[in-house]
Every structure is written in structure tokens, then in C-alpha cells.
Amino acid sequence: MIVVGVDGSVQARAAMAWAANDAFRMHQPLKLVYAVDRQPYQIARFPDADRPDRLRRTGQKALNEAVALVHERQPSVEVTTALEEGPPARILREQGRTAVEVVIGSRGLGAVTGALLGSVGDHVAGQAEAPVVVVHGGQRPAHGQIVVGVDDSPGCAPALAYAFQQAALRSSTLRAVHAWRRPVQAFGTELPHEAGEDRVAREDMVTACLQPFKRHYPDVLVVEDVRFADAVEALTRASQEAELLVVGSHGRGSVSSALLGSVSRGVRHHTPCPVAVVR
């Protein structure tokens, strides 16, 4: 099952369209979730006693419109809905416990709840058990390439598994990007042969990380891209012509460019294509 957040915004509609296409490719049912967050209305300046019912009616209307959008885009995809009470971030995390992925808009400014704000995306992507795909609004051309960040941390393997699966489903090229900054030398300067050895070691590490997945997905064309650069900058540049960027939610391997939470958060806010964050 794929869970997608709904709030009536343009960004949420973009997320629904992306999720509907992915549900079709993955042969998964789609669950549309609207979170009724009453907290903003439990203050004195909103005295309307009918407001709670109005909130639910607004949510149900958004869900009905979302179902129609999915049926228009992918008629064969099975769709269910959920109108849940509570903060959007918590509701989406709970709904995502049994999901293969959670899809949300990058920023939602719905007329009532403003549900899928950037902070909600941060909380969901950082804590959800399933992969979380953050989709920006607007149409993008199909470039036929998926980008994945690679490091030597144990947390990188789930991100690679998801990226290879997506590349296989889309018949896309997979660009595996590893970026690092060498530490400042305490005394003297780094010798050329030391820099060359460092690069070779990193290239070997990337090849070793990819090898099990290459065997499992022999038809996926993989480009190994090792760069001396800032991780956020390298991934953002590589994703300019990508359909999807995949990163781990954190990494604590021995390589200094491991994909920490700050990296996944940085690319979500600077990358034009959808970003999948995989724990």
C-alpha cells in the first residue's frame, strides 16, 4: 500500500499524481489520508460551534476530489481514503507503518488546515518507517534517470534497494553519487599520491556497495559518480536532470561524507525533483 497525504493544495495534488503513477508501476493500492487538525481552531477568536463539522466536511471534500484525480490518471489503481483526527505529521507516520512508501507534497497551503507544511515533511521524512517521497508542485520532463546518494554506512543499503527498484520499474538509468570533502591537514599539505589513493578507495567502496544490487537488477544501467564536493551540492546538481533523488535518512560510516540528516534535509529543500528519504 502507498499512503499519500491530502490537504487540497496544489502541492498535495502533485503528490497524488506521483503516487498514483507509482502505485500503477508497483501494483500497489493507494490510500489517501486527510488529517483533521483541530488545534489551530481551539482558541477564542474562532467561536463558531459548527467549525469542527465544517473541518470534517472540508476534509471529506478534499478526499473526494483526490479520488477523482487518481481515477482520472490511473483508473486501474485501487483507492481507499482515511479521514483522521490529529496532527498531520503523526497521522502520516502512523498510516505509514504498514505502507511501502508515504508520499507528501513539499509544502501545502490548504484553505483550512495548511496541513502539509515544510515542517511536517521534515518530521515525517525523519521518523516514518517507510520510505517518504516529497514531491514539489509543477510538471517536470521525464529525464530517464534516478539519482541515489551512496556512502559506506549501513543505512545506505535500504536507500540503494529502493533506488534500484524504482530504476527497474521505470527502465531508468541509475546514477550513484558519492561526494566527499577531505579534512583540513593539521600540518603541511596533502601529497598528490595520497589524494589519488583516497579517491581510488572511495571508488572501490561505491563499487562494492552497488555490486549486490547490480546482480539482483542486471538490466539497470548504473553510472558511478564519485565527486570531490559538498554532498548537498553534488546531489542537488546531479538531480537537475533526474526524475527522483533517493537518499538515506542518516549515515554514520567511516567515510566523512556520510548522508547525515542535514544532507537529506538540505536536498529536500533545494532539489527540484521529487526526493525519497529512506531510513
Side-chain angles (χ1 to χ4, degrees):
M1 175 181 66
I2 295 175
V3 169
V4 56
V6 174
D7 74 351
S9 68
V10 172
Q11 291 81 4
R13 287 194 292 273
M16 281 182 288
W18 194 95
N21 291 337
D22 220 36
F24 176 78
R25 283 188 291 264
M26 298 175 74
H27 304 288
Q28 288 285 338
L30 194 63
K31 187 173 186 178
L32 309 178
V33 179
Y34 188 101
V36 179
D37 189 1
R38 301 191 186 282
Q39 186 175 357
Y41 304 97
Q42 294 174 344
I43 51 180
R45 72 170 184 268
F46 293 107
D48 187 355
D50 185 46
R51 187 169 297 279
D53 289 339
R54 291 172 59 187
L55 291 178
R56 292 189 68 86
R57 287 199 299 270
T58 299
Q60 190 59 57
K61 179 182 177 182
L63 286 173
N64 293 341
E65 292 173 349
V67 170
L69 177 63
V70 173
H71 285 162
E72 179 182 350
R73 181 171 289 270
Q74 294 293 351
S76 64
V77 171
E78 178 187 343
V79 185
T80 58
T81 64
L83 187 65
E84 300 289 340
E85 300 267 349
R90 176 175 64 81
I91 294 300
L92 289 170
R93 288 199 305 270
E94 291 174 352
Q95 292 288 330
R97 286 174 182 167
T98 58
V100 297
E101 67 185 14
V102 178
V103 184
I104 60 176
S106 62
R107 184 175 179 84
L109 297 175
V112 178
T113 61
L116 302 179
L117 299 175
S119 60
V120 172
D122 286 341
H123 284 113
V124 176
Q127 300 180 34
E129 297 177 16
V132 176
V133 182
V134 182
V135 180
H136 301 273
Q139 296 288 329
R140 282 178 54 80
H143 293 286
Q145 178 172 259
I146 289 174
V147 173
V148 60
V150 182
D151 61 24
D152 67 343
S153 71
C156 185
L160 288 175
Y162 180 85
F164 269 89
Q165 180 192 38
Q166 285 286 331
L169 289 170
R170 298 163 182 265
S171 299
S172 297
T173 299
L174 182 63
R175 178 173 294 274
V177 176
H178 173 72
W180 87 100
R181 291 286 196 189
R182 288 192 292 271
V184 177
Q185 298 296 306
F187 302 100
T189 58
E190 188 175 40
L191 298 176
H193 75 274
E194 293 175 333
E197 290 173 357
D198 188 16
R199 183 178 183 87
V200 170
R202 291 173 183 275
E203 290 173 345
D204 290 344
M205 178 274 294
V206 170
T207 299
C209 289
L210 295 174
Q211 197 58 43
F213 301 98
K214 286 183 176 180
R215 288 196 296 267
H216 190 69
Y217 294 96
D219 294 332
V220 173
L221 175 63
V222 180
V223 177
E224 299 180 21
D225 188 343
V226 177
R227 308 185 185 193
F228 176 58
D230 173 76
V232 173
E233 177 186 355
L235 290 169
T236 301
R237 284 181 178 274
S239 65
Q240 294 300 310
E241 295 186 353
E243 296 179 41
L244 179 68
L245 169 64
V246 182
V247 294
S249 62
H250 62 79
R252 288 180 172 82
S254 59
V255 175
S256 60
S257 68
L259 299 177
L260 303 176
S262 59
V263 173
S264 64
R265 187 165 53 249
V267 297
R268 288 203 309 276
H269 295 305
H270 294 92
T271 302
C273 71
V275 179
V277 180
V278 185
R279 290 183 66 181

